[in-house]
Amino acid sequence: MNEQQNTTAQAGPSKPRHRADRRFGRTVIGLAAVAGLGLAAWAGTANAATTTSAARATPTCSAGALKAGFGQQLAGGMNHQGVVITLRNLSGRTCALRGYPGLGLENSAHRRLTTHTTWGNTWYAHDPGKKTLTLKDGQSAEAVVAWTHANTGTSGAVRASFLEITPPGATQHKTLAFPQWVDHGDLSVTALARHITVTP
């Protein structure tokens, strides 16, 4: 009788201790999981902050920081014509360019003419697509501009004297002499790249 009571008394408390141990284990695991999530979130935030800081550290090239120019002149059959345009960083510091240059035609009095610009592939080159270009002082980016000219002075042809080139993200433009007939004022241009291979 006594032995049975003693056995019952010993067995009774052991169950709560076992449950308490399991609850304690779950609590520790839960705290570890929360801590792990906290560390992951901190690491993600730190990485994002680093990326953002790096992006902020390289400003976008302004029009004033760049020198515009013409490179290779392009010609071909079916009244196609084109030119490689270059934007060279002369700011004395590193800056970045991404995307397509804005284009506009001007007459001899620097009045803007109706211009339609298409971004993408041109008659002379495939579009390299938007890529962030980090230009150190003295480095250049280029794009290919193309148009057609059916005949000098034909109906719908625009007689241009200058070409406006607006760097991506800029509000001001560079102006280059551009004595060309352009059908309907239509231009096509590739995205800026370090170098674009031109189809002969």
Side-chain angles (χ1 to χ4, degrees):
M1 188 80 174
N2 289 336
E3 289 180 359
Q4 187 176 1
Q5 289 177 350
N6 290 339
T7 302
T8 304
Q10 290 175 358
S14 65
K15 291 181 180 179
R17 279 199 301 270
H18 184 62
R19 290 174 185 166
D21 290 343
R22 281 190 294 177
R23 285 198 298 270
F24 177 75
R26 289 174 186 162
T27 302
V28 171
I29 293 171
L31 290 174
V34 171
L37 289 173
L39 288 172
W42 177 84
T45 304
N47 289 337
T50 301
T51 302
T52 303
S53 298
R56 289 178 181 171
T58 306
T60 299
C61 300
S62 65
L66 300 168
K67 179 180 180 180
F70 288 134
Q72 183 180 354
Q73 303 288 322
L74 307 170
M78 301 178 65
N79 301 311
H80 288 276
Q81 196 165 347
V83 67
V84 176
I85 60 173
T86 61
L87 293 174
R88 185 180 180 190
N89 177 19
L90 296 179
S91 66
R93 62 176 184 170
T94 300
C95 61
L97 288 173
R98 177 183 174 83
Y100 300 84
L103 302 175
L105 299 173
E106 297 180 354
N107 64 15
S108 58
H110 288 285
R111 292 181 181 174
R112 291 184 178 177
L113 301 171
T114 299
T115 309
H116 308 283
T117 304
T118 302
W119 292 351
N121 295 330
T122 71
W123 177 263
Y124 300 99
H126 290 291
D127 181 36
K130 286 185 177 181
K131 297 177 182 177
T132 301
L133 308 174
T134 303
L135 303 180
K136 295 180 180 179
D137 185 47
Q139 291 183 328
S140 300
E142 63 184 34
V144 175
V145 179
W147 64 96
T148 62
H149 56 101
N151 284 300
T152 301
T154 53
S155 177
V158 172
R159 172 59 174 172
S161 294
F162 299 96
L163 178 67
E164 296 177 354
I165 303 172
T166 305
T171 56
Q172 297 180 328
H173 61 264
K174 314 298 288 187
T175 305
L176 296 175
F178 190 74
Q180 301 290 340
W181 286 95
V182 180
D183 291 340
H184 308 290
D186 293 336
L187 301 171
S188 60
V189 64
T190 65
L192 288 162
R194 292 281 191 186
H195 175 71
I196 298 180
T197 301
V198 175
T199 304

